[in-house]
Amino acid sequence: EVQLVESGGGLVKPGGSLGLSCAASGFTFSDACMMWVRQAPGKGLEWVGRIKSKSEGERIDYAAPVRGKFTISRDDSKNTLYLQMNSLETDDTAVYYCATCRGSNDPLSGYYYYYYMDVWGTGTTVTVSS
Amino acid sequence: QSALTQPASVSGSPGQSITISCTGTSGDVGAYNYVSWYQQHPGKAPKLVIYDVSSRPSGVSNRFFGSKSGNTASLTISGLQAEDGADYYCFSYTSSSALYLFGTGTKVAVL
């Protein structure tokens, strides 16, 4: 069974740091593109960032609000995705989800686009408050 | 643009059909067939219901239908059932530096 389990959430003061993990099982993690998505209390979904597989150069992209504050990484030997969050602000309070990303090859450019998430974790809650 | 535009709420009676719109621009929804839709019940993780504008993942009911016209994508749920009551979000790749955009979300109420 394909499964993603996030952990590491908790209460942290503004300006603090926190690291999240996402343990993957049931599929070949090293071949997978992975995303982080968050949802503030009572709000909509927000894309946080994406990391491609090592065979695709492990390219990492971030949403503007977290660029320079958050760092995505992966350890394929542990089948685990990470999200290191620094300089946390109250606006970073949210449930954080990891998900596998899928896509397809554009026949004109030959470029492989990732553009949807098919398997999601259950989420871990991060609260930034003094 | 920070988000795709969806109606805040849509409602229907059991058995009816409803349609949720997702309006973007010529740089995202209008430019690519890279629109997906997610269903989210309260307190639960999102679930993929449509990808590639109109493709259904295995196990998703054929009552869910996706389409696109110009800069607007749509999700239609036919034969509305109580279990369809949830929040729905569209998602698209964008050529802008944002890379990906979620819709603002639509709450579906089954009357």
Side-chain angles (χ1 to χ4, degrees), chain A residues 94-116:
Chain A
V95 175
Y96 285 75
Y97 297 99
C98 61
T100 56
C101 33
R102 304 282 189 198
S104 65
N105 210 60
D106 175 57
L108 292 178
S109 65
Y111 187 76
Y112 195 97
Y113 287 90
Y114 289 98
Y115 52 85
Y116 68 96

Side-chain angles (χ1 to χ4, degrees), chain A residues 27-73:
Chain A
F27 64 101
T28 306
F29 179 75
S30 59
D31 290 342
C33 166
M34 300 296 297
M35 300 259 209
W36 285 100
V37 173
R38 68 182 179 181
Q39 186 170 35
K43 302 296 185 182
L45 299 172
E46 180 185 20
W47 176 70
V48 171
R50 180 208 67 205
I51 182 169
K52 294 186 178 182
S53 66
K54 184 166 288 186
S55 64
E56 295 173 299
E58 256 185 46
R59 182 187 168 100
I60 304 172
D61 290 287
Y62 300 95
V66 307
R67 200 172 294 136
K69 293 199 321 172
F70 290 8
T71 301
I72 297 173
S73 62

Side-chain angles (χ1 to χ4, degrees), chain A residues 35 37 39 43-47 50 61-63 67 97 104-106 111 113-118 120-122, chain B residues 32-36 38 40 43-48 51-52 89 91-93 97-100 102-104:
Chain A
M35 300 259 209
V37 173
Q39 186 170 35
K43 302 296 185 182
L45 299 172
E46 180 185 20
W47 176 70
R50 180 208 67 205
D61 290 287
Y62 300 95
R67 200 172 294 136
Y97 297 99
S104 65
N105 210 60
D106 175 57
Y111 187 76
Y113 287 90
Y114 289 98
Y115 52 85
Y116 68 96
M117 289 79 72
D118 64 341
W120 294 69
T122 53
Chain B
Y32 311 94
N33 288 327
Y34 297 160
V35 177
S36 52
Y38 302 86
Q40 186 181 35
K44 300 295 186 182
K47 172 190 173 185
L48 176 70
Y51 65 99
D52 285 5
Y89 296 90
F91 181 74
S92 175
Y93 177 87
S97 59
L99 202 56
Y100 299 105
F102 271 106
T104 50

Side-chain angles (χ1 to χ4, degrees), chain B residues 54-111:
Chain B
S54 59
S55 297
R56 273 186 310 274
S58 172
V60 172
S61 171
N62 59 8
R63 297 185 298 104
F64 289 83
F65 175 78
S67 61
K68 189 185 86 166
S69 178
N71 296 338
T72 298
S74 298
L75 175 69
T76 298
I77 308 174
S78 61
L80 203 60
Q81 299 180 0
E83 67 208 47
D84 299 330
D87 292 328
Y88 291 82
Y89 296 90
C90 59
F91 181 74
S92 175
Y93 177 87
T94 170
S95 59
S96 76
S97 59
L99 202 56
Y100 299 105
L101 293 172
F102 271 106
T104 50
T106 298
K107 180 176 288 293
V108 169
V110 182
L111 304 175

